[in-house]
């Protein structure tokens, strides 16, 4: 392998700072296999290291930022400011790969993974005897056509995105896959596929506030499944805009999970032969929808909100619908009457 920057593992505490460094191999070469690589070191617990990238650019042929540490170590920290990370076309490694007890703080950064085939960020979730660390991204840009962000799978880990923008041209995976606590605040999400997915097998607890979603393909902006809980508050969903196909876009899907959707706006756009749904409550899903406004074109057979299974539960209150002749709520046959309640619902 070839490396742009290689940091040796050691038991001595210290820090490495890269300021205005361009870590890019000449175009005529094969490029660095890995851009910035921080080794785990020996089996002796590694000391805390802080690696800082300040106003840097790094490009690799496989994986651009790799930070390892012993699972029994004291952890490490990565700080990035005004830094751009990219991969060359055809890269199969993750743009960023970090171990669970590594914390990340990034501001004003660009993570360009439009040439890659794996995750833009994988916060690895293997076993560790120390507490998982946190990740915080502020005013950052994420672009990808493959997989997005896979957060840490440890129950005590947390990831925050504040004022970030996300774009994706792939419909088969969520841009953010939440396996632990995730906060998305004041972000802009424009995706062909899913935006935020709460993984069913993990304790994903997600809070999404003040975020704009634009979903253009056969997927949902937010998917709440499994053991996690999801709160969506003060968000806007532009569903179906820009899509010329016949597949349905959805705002929030709740399946075998719990979600609260409050104070949010859902705009349905004509979408080829099919219009979108604002909320779908599937098998085992429980949802409270309150203080929402749902307007535009929605899927006539199922309505703006679909209660789709005998085990689905909906509490709809203090909400307004401006959707023409489409029914506000479709309740599938076999759903017990006591599992759907509506109060203070207005149809314009």
């Amino acid at each position: 392998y070839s490396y742009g920057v290689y940091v040796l593992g050691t038991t001595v505490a210290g820090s490495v700072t890269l300021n205005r460094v361009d870590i890019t191999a000449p175009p005529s070469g094969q490029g660095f296999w890995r851009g910035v690589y921080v080794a785990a070191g020996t089996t002796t617990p590694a000391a805390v290291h802080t690696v800082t990238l300040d106003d840097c650019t790094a490009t690799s042929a496989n994986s651009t930022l790799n930070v390892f540490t012993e699972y029994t170590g004291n952890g490490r920290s990565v700080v990035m400011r005004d830094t751009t990370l990219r991969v060359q076309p055809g890269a199969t490694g993750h743009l960023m790969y970090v171990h669970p007890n590594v914390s990340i703080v990034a501001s004003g950064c660009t993570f360009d993974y439009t040439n890659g085939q794996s995750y833009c960020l994988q916060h690895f979730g293997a076993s560790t005897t120390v507490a998982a660390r946190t990740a915080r991204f502020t005013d950052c840009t994420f672009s990808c056509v493959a997989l997005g962000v896979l957060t840490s799978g440890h129950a005590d880990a947390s990831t925050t995105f504040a004022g970030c923008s996300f774009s994706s041209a792939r419909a088969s995976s969520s841009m953010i896959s939440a396996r632990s606590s995730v906060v998305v605040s004041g972000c802009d999400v424009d995706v062909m596929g899913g935006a935020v997915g709460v993984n069913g097998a993990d304790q994903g607890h997600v809070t999404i506030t003040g975020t704009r979603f634009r979903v253009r393909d056969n997927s949902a902006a937010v998917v709440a499944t499994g053991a996690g809980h999801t709160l969506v508050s003060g968000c806007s969903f532009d569903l179906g805009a820009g899509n010329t196909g016949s597949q349905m876009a959805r705002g929030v899907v709740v399946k075998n999970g719990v979600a609260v959707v409050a104070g949010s706006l859902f705009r349905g756009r004509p979408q080829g032969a099919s219009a979108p749904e604002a909320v779908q409550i599937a098998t085992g899903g429980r949802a409270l929808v309150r203080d929402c406004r749902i307007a535009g074109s929605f899927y006539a057979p199922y309505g703006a909100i679909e209660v789709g299974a005998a085990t689905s539960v909906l509490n709809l209150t203090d909400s307004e619908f401006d959707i023409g002749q489409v029914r506000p709520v479709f309740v599938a046959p076999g759903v017990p009457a006591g599992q759907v309640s509506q109060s203070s619902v207005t149809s314009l």
Side-chain angles (χ1 to χ4, degrees):
Y1 295 150
S2 59
Y3 302 88
V5 175
Y6 188 103
V7 181
L8 293 172
T10 176
T11 58
V12 179
S15 63
V16 175
T17 299
L18 304 176
N19 191 328
R20 301 186 69 182
V21 177
D22 186 352
I23 308 168
T24 305
S28 59
Q30 294 297 315
F32 297 120
W33 185 250
R34 289 174 173 152
V36 178
Y37 186 92
V38 183
T42 66
T43 56
T44 304
V48 175
H49 293 277
T50 299
V51 179
T52 301
L53 281 70
D54 199 343
D55 194 16
C56 294
T57 299
T59 305
S60 74
N62 182 262
S63 186
T64 304
L65 176 65
N66 302 262
V67 184
F68 296 87
T69 188
E70 296 299 328
Y71 299 156
T72 56
N74 297 318
R76 286 177 168 147
S77 299
V78 177
V79 178
M80 292 180 282
R81 293 184 291 264
D82 302 319
T83 288
T84 298
L85 302 182
R86 300 187 180 95
V87 292
Q88 294 176 337
T92 58
H94 309 304
L95 180 67
M96 296 177 282
Y97 178 87
V98 297
H99 268 187
N101 47 334
V102 174
S103 65
I104 307 169
V105 178
S107 61
C109 296
T110 297
F111 304 113
D112 183 353
Y113 197 56
T114 53
N115 290 322
Q117 301 176 28
S118 295
Y119 282 104
C120 183
L121 166 65
Q122 183 180 15
H123 205 170
F124 189 62
S127 298
T128 176
T129 58
V130 298
R133 308 300 290 274
T134 61
R136 180 175 180 85
F137 299 88
T138 304
D139 299 328
C140 294
T141 299
F142 295 80
S143 302
C144 72
V145 295
L147 304 175
V149 176
L150 182 66
T151 68
S152 173
H154 286 272
D156 58 350
S158 65
T159 305
T160 299
F161 303 94
C164 296
S165 63
F166 299 86
S167 62
S168 172
R170 177 171 174 172
S172 61
S173 177
S174 296
M175 188 70 193
I176 301 172
S177 294
R179 301 189 295 172
S180 51
S181 295
V182 172
V183 175
V184 180
S185 176
C187 294
D188 191 276
V189 185
D190 187 347
V191 295
M192 287 293 291
V196 182
V198 185
N199 287 7
D202 302 292
Q203 296 291 323
H205 301 287
V206 176
T207 300
I208 307 170
T209 60
T211 292
R212 186 189 77 93
F213 294 94
R214 189 171 188 263
V215 180
R216 296 172 289 161
D217 204 3
N218 181 26
S219 191
V222 179
V223 179
T225 63
H229 296 77
T230 302
L231 169 64
V232 178
S233 178
C235 296
S236 65
F237 297 81
D238 196 354
L239 304 171
N243 184 28
T244 60
S246 60
Q247 300 301 308
M248 181 184 294
R250 293 181 172 93
V252 178
V253 172
V254 189
K255 182 178 181 180
N256 294 322
V258 178
V260 174
V261 183
S264 295
L265 170 64
F266 296 83
R267 289 186 292 262
R269 308 292 189 184
Q271 191 174 333
S274 178
E277 288 183 335
V279 179
Q280 181 193 52
I281 308 166
T283 303
R286 292 175 292 161
L288 167 62
V289 180
R290 68 168 186 256
D291 299 321
C292 290
R293 186 172 193 274
I294 301 174
S297 299
F298 287 89
Y299 189 51
Y302 287 164
I305 298 177
E306 177 191 355
V307 184
T311 53
S312 304
V313 178
L314 168 65
N315 183 351
L316 173 65
T317 182
D318 298 313
S319 295
E320 180 181 275
F321 292 79
D322 186 3
I323 55 177
Q325 299 302 310
V326 176
R327 72 185 92 183
V329 178
F330 167 79
V331 180
V335 177
Q339 292 177 195
V340 178
S341 64
Q342 302 182 52
S343 63
S344 301
V345 176
T346 303
S347 294
L348 301 179

